[in-house]
Amino acid sequence: MDQRPVRDRTGRGVRALARRLLGRVEGGSPTPRRSNPDAVVDCAVYVNGRREPGQPHYADAYARARHGRDTFVWLGLHDPGPAVLAAVGQTFGLDELTVEQALADGHRPTVQRQGPVTLLVLRTAGYVEHDELTDTSEVIDTGDVMVLLGDRFAITVRHGAAGALRSVRADIERRPTLLAAGPWAVAYAVCARMVDSYLEVAGHVERDLERVEEAVFARDRTTDIQHIYQLKREVVEFKRAVLPLQAPMRTLLEPDGPPRALHRWFVDVDGRLSRAVDRVAAYDDLLTSIVQSRLAQLAVEQNNDMRKIAAWAAIAATQTGIAGIYGMNFNHMPELAWRYGYAGALTLMAAAALFLYRLFRRSGWL
């Protein structure tokens, strides 16, 4: 008789018993594996700048980070709900105000220190591809990302579609020496990526500006001023995301800011931010000049139209005057009894119209 099924069942039973015995911890009951909520994009533990395998639950990861040396956890969240943020705040010891700030979007770029936790808010920006500019075109998509930094954790909370941080994590993980500086290395990586995205979006906007400028000053102008206003609104929104970051970035360069090992990296980010600010401010000024030029062109075009209308009205008034005089039916009218009086009156009207037309044409009114 074949005994292999019996041995297989016996082996499975032994392995199952072993798993149950190994799963009993301190309380005598198995510890089930917890899974992260859907709002968690990624969660990892880093030891000496290198990522530990797996994606543990954020509570387990933080517990391990607190008891490890040169260890911290990086938790990434995208559009989390109140329940998720409340649980995260309780796990990481965040106060109620910090949780409320992380829950809302649309914040102005800032740096706030709330006890042992530092809150860094940045605006995200992404260029929206479009075939042509219209009065409803969305050119720049903005959002925000918040970085919460503690002694053993870095939490990134992103709102909106722009500014995904997966590539940021992948890039910084390839630089373990830099990541070994701790949670502030995460702040540097996020700041650097946001500033790089500003410069990238600025390059796309510059091409849109060149097309608008060429269309406005072309001989056959077809650009509607509403299109220019729409681009102006998008650039102003972009400006509100970039310019306010200057003050928080300067705050990070103070002595009580990030670790000394990261100071020169933040200086580099500040330099690139200055270039982005200069470009965005220049684009805003250029768009203002284009709008004013287009308004001046419209005023000139309206003036030309009014002169043409006035010229044609003068020509028509001459014909009306001659016809009105001969339409009075007086007994004694010039050439009234002449055989060719009617033809002569028409000839006079045509000659007067031709004379006025050539006069207005020569003066540029027609």
Side-chain angles (χ1 to χ4, degrees), residues 3-21:
Q3 299 295 324
R4 283 178 295 177
V6 175
R7 287 197 297 271
D8 291 343
R9 288 194 297 269
T10 304
R12 286 196 297 270
V14 172
R15 287 194 296 270
L17 178 61
R19 283 197 299 270
R20 286 197 298 270
L21 292 175

Side-chain angles (χ1 to χ4, degrees), residues 113 149 184-185 187 251-263 266:
R113 292 183 174 88
L149 302 171
W184 275 101
T251 302
L252 294 178
L253 300 180
E254 295 177 355
D256 58 343
R260 191 65 184 175
L262 295 174
H263 184 267
F266 278 98

Side-chain angles (χ1 to χ4, degrees), residues 133-136 139 208-209 211-213 215-217 221-236 283-284 286-295 297-298:
L133 186 65
T134 66
D135 54 355
T136 58
V139 180
D208 284 338
L209 279 171
R211 288 193 292 265
V212 168
E213 189 176 14
V216 167
F217 294 102
R221 293 182 289 269
T222 57
T223 302
D224 197 348
I225 195 170
Q226 283 81 4
H227 302 171
I228 307 175
Y229 273 124
Q230 177 63 20
L231 184 58
K232 172 85 171 166
R233 285 194 292 267
E234 294 293 311
V235 170
V236 168
Y283 296 160
D284 189 30
L286 179 58
L287 268 173
T288 300
S289 300
I290 293 176
V291 170
Q292 293 175 349
S293 299
R294 185 57 183 147
L295 290 175
Q297 290 174 353
L298 291 175

Side-chain angles (χ1 to χ4, degrees), residues 68-88:
R69 184 178 180 182
D70 297 327
T71 306
F72 74 95
V73 58
W74 181 358
L75 172 63
L77 302 172
H78 180 216
D79 287 331
V84 173
L85 269 180
V88 170

Side-chain angles (χ1 to χ4, degrees), residues 114-234:
Q114 301 168 355
V117 178
T118 300
L119 171 62
L120 174 62
V121 181
L122 303 98
R123 298 287 294 172
T124 62
Y127 182 77
V128 180
E129 296 289 345
H130 53 276
D131 297 330
E132 60 179 357
L133 186 65
T134 66
D135 54 355
T136 58
S137 295
E138 184 179 7
V139 180
I140 301 172
D141 183 22
T142 59
D144 61 61
V145 59
M146 301 182 183
V147 184
L148 299 166
L149 302 171
D151 183 44
R152 294 299 180 94
F153 66 85
I155 304 174
T156 54
V157 183
R158 183 168 62 91
H159 298 282
L165 300 179
R166 287 186 180 274
S167 59
V168 178
R169 187 187 290 263
D171 291 342
I172 196 68
E173 285 178 353
R174 289 193 288 267
R175 306 167 67 183
T177 303
L178 185 62
L179 196 56
W184 275 101
V186 176
Y188 157 73
V190 174
C191 291
R193 178 54 56 89
M194 293 303 106
V195 173
D196 288 342
S197 68
Y198 297 159
L199 292 171
E200 180 181 355
V201 172
H204 291 292
V205 173
E206 184 176 3
R207 287 190 287 272
D208 284 338
L209 279 171
E210 290 175 353
R211 288 193 292 265
V212 168
E213 189 176 14
E214 291 175 358
V216 167
F217 294 102
R219 185 177 297 274
D220 51 343
R221 293 182 289 269
T222 57
T223 302
D224 197 348
I225 195 170
Q226 283 81 4
H227 302 171
I228 307 175
Y229 273 124
Q230 177 63 20
L231 184 58
K232 172 85 171 166
R233 285 194 292 267
E234 294 293 311

